[in-house]
Amino acid sequence: MKMLLSIGGASGSIYGIRILEELKKAGMEVHLTISTGAKKIITYETNFEFEKLKNIADYYYENDDLFSGPASGSFYLDGMIVSPCSMKTLSAIANGYSDTLTSRVASCCLKEKRKLILVIRETPIDIPGIKNMLSASESGAVILPAMPGFYHKPKKIDDLVDFIVGKTLDQFKINNSLYSKWK
Ligand SMILES: Cc1cc2nc3c(=O)[nH]c(=O)nc-3n(C[C@H](O)[C@H](O)[C@H](O)COP(=O)(O)O)c2cc1C
């Protein structure tokens, strides 16, 4: 499968980093973009270096590169994940405002009826955010809030992160045992 992963500038860049690692482990072809804000947040919140992350992916694009392949609907992708997704990028996607590679690829996914997962992270959520979630969902996106469950009895932060990573991979039917499923 050919996927585009966008790591956005919400808190929780670890969600995007772990998804990148797991997509590669599962043998996916990963096209990666990282927003300007996310580059700084990755450094602030994690021990990962942006330059090293670029090398894990098969292809990397700057988020303002609207001339790149994935910016066109004719560039085939099986789907796209924005993780974490800021309220700003959710708004751009919900309203078809394609000013970044992330929002443009998301718009292509919606028009081509391809899977689009938005791992939003914000709390509490204002009315524009709630309306944008509804609007993006009505357009075909899956709103997958970075909101872990606790029924798998998490012991450490990694368990909480992996719950969201597993739920994200489940959307593409990628087999994983990142969290224990309810039996
Ligand atoms: C440390 C830090 C944490 C942030 N966390 C969030 C967040 O959790 N959710 C959110 O919507 N915005 C958050 N923001 C604000 C976004 O980074 C900002 O709105 C930015 O314009 C998002 O753009 P992007 O989606 O293109 O990265 C945060 C900013 C900083 C500096």
Side-chain angles (χ1 to χ4, degrees), residues 7 12-22 25 32 34 37-57 157-158 161-162 165:
I7 302 182
S13 34
I14 191 63
Y15 292 117
I17 294 169
R18 288 284 299 114
I19 287 168
L20 171 62
E21 290 176 339
E22 291 299 323
K25 241 189 247 175
L32 175 70
I34 301 180
K39 287 179 191 169
K40 291 188 194 156
I41 296 175
I42 286 168
T43 310
Y44 186 74
E45 290 187 345
T46 78
N47 293 321
F48 289 87
E49 283 169 29
F50 155 66
E51 288 299 329
K52 286 201 178 136
L53 291 177
K54 273 166 67 171
N55 295 331
I56 301 176
I157 291 173
D158 288 354
V161 171
D162 279 357
V165 176

Side-chain angles (χ1 to χ4, degrees), residues 15-154:
Y15 292 117
I17 294 169
R18 288 284 299 114
I19 287 168
L20 171 62
E21 290 176 339
E22 291 299 323
L23 287 177
K24 279 316 298 166
K25 241 189 247 175
M28 306 290 139
E29 179 178 310
V30 182
H31 297 251
L32 175 70
T33 185
I34 301 180
S35 78
T36 308
K39 287 179 191 169
K40 291 188 194 156
I41 296 175
I42 286 168
T43 310
Y44 186 74
E45 290 187 345
T46 78
N47 293 321
F48 289 87
E49 283 169 29
F50 155 66
E51 288 299 329
K52 286 201 178 136
L53 291 177
K54 273 166 67 171
N55 295 331
I56 301 176
D58 297 281
Y59 300 90
Y60 176 79
Y61 314 91
E62 291 301 337
N63 200 28
D64 63 357
D65 188 0
L66 293 165
F67 268 70
S68 63
S72 167
S74 64
F75 184 98
Y76 184 78
L77 286 170
D78 290 287
M80 174 180 189
I81 300 166
V82 187
S83 180
C85 179
S86 71
M87 290 292 112
K88 181 216 99 177
T89 291
L90 166 69
S91 171
I93 294 169
N95 294 286
Y97 188 74
S98 304
D99 64 331
T100 61
L101 183 62
T102 299
S103 48
R104 171 61 188 162
V105 182
S107 166
C108 289
C109 284
L110 294 179
K111 80 185 171 78
E112 305 291 342
K113 309 293 178 208
R114 294 173 188 152
K115 196 119 194 167
L116 170 64
I117 314 298
L118 306 178
V119 182
I120 55 130
R121 209 236 62 99
E122 184 63 298
T123 196
I125 303 180
D126 59 12
I127 292 200
I130 292 167
K131 286 182 174 169
N132 287 331
M133 281 194 278
L134 176 63
S135 174
S137 180
E138 283 174 341
S139 299
V142 173
I143 306 296
L144 199 154
M147 200 185 270
F150 287 83
Y151 56 85
H152 64 312
K153 309 260 171 72

